[in-house]
Amino acid sequence: MNFTKTLSALSLAILTVVAPTQAVLADFTVVPVRLAFKPGESAISLRVTHEDISGSGPGIYQVGVGEWTNPPNGRNVIGTQAVAAFPPVFRLRPGETQIVRVSKVNRNDPMINKAFRVIVREVPTPVKGQMNVAMRRVLNMPLVVQN
């Protein structure tokens, strides 16, 4: 029993140390995936690259920020006016990269005891003349506010 707990803890520790610093989801890459406002910082940047692994052509992406709450019935992400992402929607051709700024709306807000999620969504594009099911890829990353 103790061996299993020790092995589980060791595995979790190793995964934490070697966790990826980027995420690759079929047709897009986001760097970095560890997002944090350091003390005194009011904005950070991330890069979204359209890899076009599936050969589907240009891609449309949405970026949003939500406050991560912890209600009694489980975790929830709700809209926020405290942090914004720009541009919120953009189109990329294969191989192109878009820099996205994530910033505090009020630079002086210390945001104590608040947690956020940055969500990057691929918008499925319909193919004319074909009936298909479009899969929507979503990357949901934590945004840490360091005080």
Side-chain angles (χ1 to χ4, degrees):
M1 186 73 169
N2 284 339
F3 175 75
T4 305
K5 285 183 179 179
T6 304
L7 185 60
S8 295
L10 181 61
S11 297
L12 182 60
I14 290 171
L15 284 174
T16 302
V17 171
V18 297
T21 57
Q22 70 176 10
V24 180
L25 291 175
D27 277 353
F28 69 98
T29 305
V30 178
V31 178
V33 291
R34 295 180 186 161
L35 304 173
F37 285 128
K38 295 183 177 103
E41 258 185 341
S42 61
I44 55 175
S45 297
L46 58 108
R47 292 188 331 257
V48 178
T49 302
H50 182 57
E51 303 291 346
D52 196 30
I53 295 168
S54 67
S56 60
I60 300 172
Y61 299 94
Q62 293 177 319
V63 181
V65 181
E67 187 172 345
W68 196 19
T69 64
N70 196 9
N73 60 347
R75 293 180 186 231
N76 192 20
V77 177
I78 59 172
T80 183
Q81 299 294 316
V83 180
F86 185 81
V89 178
F90 51 92
R91 177 184 213 115
L92 295 174
R93 292 190 299 266
E96 284 187 327
T97 297
Q98 175 69 51
I99 303 294
V100 177
R101 295 276 290 169
V102 177
S103 62
K104 295 179 183 178
V105 173
N106 179 354
R107 302 179 96 182
N108 299 322
D109 184 355
M111 298 186 181
I112 296 171
N113 296 324
K114 289 187 181 178
F116 299 92
R117 304 294 288 190
V118 176
I119 303 164
V120 181
R121 293 179 179 92
E122 179 183 42
V123 178
T125 52
V127 179
K128 287 186 179 182
Q130 291 185 6
M131 288 191 60
N132 55 15
V133 176
M135 299 300 289
R136 182 174 165 158
R137 295 169 195 89
V138 177
L139 180 60
N140 188 329
M141 304 168 289
L143 170 59
V144 178
V145 179
Q146 298 174 353
N147 293 317

